[in-house]
Amino acid sequence: MKRKIALIIALVCGALAALLTRFYLSAKDAEVRKIKGFYEEKYGTIEVLCFATDLPGGATLQKSDLGLKTVPALGMRGQALTAENVMDIVGRKTVLGHRRGDVIFWADIEGGDQSVTGLSSDIKRKMRAVSINCTGAAAVSSMVKPNDHVDVIGTFDFDPEGTGRKNFVTCTILQNVLVLATGDTTAKTRSRSVGRLQGYSTVTLEVTPREAEMLAFAEQMKGRLILTLRNRNDTSYEKELPQVDFMKIRGEIEALNQKRQNEKMVVH
């Protein structure tokens, strides 16, 4: 009997504690809403960008990751990002992880506000930015844009034996390289000129110091650098790509075409 009474008392106490906790949390919610309403009435509200989903640090932002929320303007105006900043941050990375609903500030984005800090803040540590002469067909009909990834291919005319004969050789110099800018257009400045086609004669790439040396040397040789555009989600790496000359093409063109046709048949 005593056990039953003790059990009943315990259940009643638990229910009472849960009820009091609920009342307490409701009162706190009401207090928060009251304070929020006070600041909204006194300072107004502002619509700002927020994270539409949980994201880890280093995540590349897509439009689908961004949302809008209305918050009191106090401390937000001029600090939090707004709808007009969407294209400024799409394609850029988060500094730290964030939860859904968190307001987005420039401090949350790698490189911060590019209009203030310039291109240098977008270059990763221990990397370098180097510009190469590349336009038109060499830049995939000028369709290479900032934040794209490309491979760099060089065709060179050299005569190691001094015979005076032309010896053209083509080889892939670098693979999966980030494009920082085309001409003087970065990802941020490009968003401000949507709808206007802008030509360029140089492409700025993010490379290591050693890769920068190779590109600088390649630019001084008799030849030409071209870019091949990659799917943004393709991080594959081709090992042991051969140097190509006329003899290489003549010897392998048939096998390459046959392989392509076989792959098409498998796909279909």
Side-chain angles (χ1 to χ4, degrees), residues 26-45 71-74:
S26 297
K28 283 297 182 181
D29 287 342
E31 184 178 349
V32 170
R33 287 195 297 271
K34 183 178 179 181
I35 294 173
K36 182 179 178 182
F38 169 78
Y39 282 107
E40 287 179 351
E41 182 178 353
K42 184 173 182 179
Y43 298 103
T45 60
V71 297
L74 180 64

Side-chain angles (χ1 to χ4, degrees), residues 18-221:
L19 185 62
L20 290 175
T21 300
R22 182 175 180 181
F23 284 152
Y24 174 78
L25 293 176
S26 297
K28 283 297 182 181
D29 287 342
E31 184 178 349
V32 170
R33 287 195 297 271
K34 183 178 179 181
I35 294 173
K36 182 179 178 182
F38 169 78
Y39 282 107
E40 287 179 351
E41 182 178 353
K42 184 173 182 179
Y43 298 103
T45 60
I46 184 174
E47 195 172 46
V48 299
L49 287 178
C50 66
F51 293 99
T53 184
D54 295 348
L55 288 175
T60 300
L61 289 171
Q62 311 294 328
K63 277 189 177 182
S64 58
D65 297 324
L66 308 176
L68 292 170
K69 67 186 299 184
T70 301
V71 297
L74 180 64
M76 294 290 182
R77 199 179 302 278
Q79 303 297 323
L81 276 63
T82 60
E84 65 181 14
N85 299 121
V86 169
M87 295 309 299
D88 295 341
I89 62 174
V90 167
R92 298 175 66 185
K93 294 183 178 181
T94 57
V95 176
L96 301 172
H98 292 276
R99 302 295 300 273
R100 177 181 179 182
D102 288 352
V103 175
I104 305 176
F105 299 88
W106 278 120
D108 300 323
I109 309 301
E110 282 191 0
D113 187 350
Q114 289 180 318
S115 66
V116 176
T117 57
L119 178 63
S120 62
S121 61
D122 281 347
I123 304 171
K124 298 183 186 70
R125 294 181 182 276
K126 298 184 179 181
M127 301 294 281
R128 303 291 186 268
V130 61
S131 295
I132 61 174
N133 293 307
C134 198
T135 185
V140 195
S141 297
S142 296
M143 287 188 288
V144 170
K145 302 300 180 187
N147 281 342
D148 281 341
H149 283 75
V150 298
D151 292 353
V152 183
I153 298 176
T155 297
F156 308 105
D157 172 18
F158 70 102
D159 182 11
E161 298 179 358
T163 62
R165 299 174 57 186
K166 289 184 177 296
N167 295 278
F168 289 102
V169 174
T170 296
C171 61
T172 297
I173 301 174
L174 298 174
Q175 298 184 48
N176 198 23
V177 182
L178 174 65
V179 176
L180 293 173
T182 53
D184 60 0
T185 301
T186 64
K188 181 178 179 62
T189 57
R190 180 191 173 202
S191 69
R192 295 175 176 174
S193 58
V194 174
R196 289 188 300 164
L197 296 177
Q198 296 182 332
Y200 52 84
S201 59
T202 60
V203 174
T204 302
L205 307 174
E206 184 182 70
V207 296
T208 66
R210 292 187 178 185
E211 292 169 343
E213 288 182 346
M214 287 197 298
L215 287 176
F217 179 76
E219 284 252 271
Q220 300 306 312
M221 296 181 66

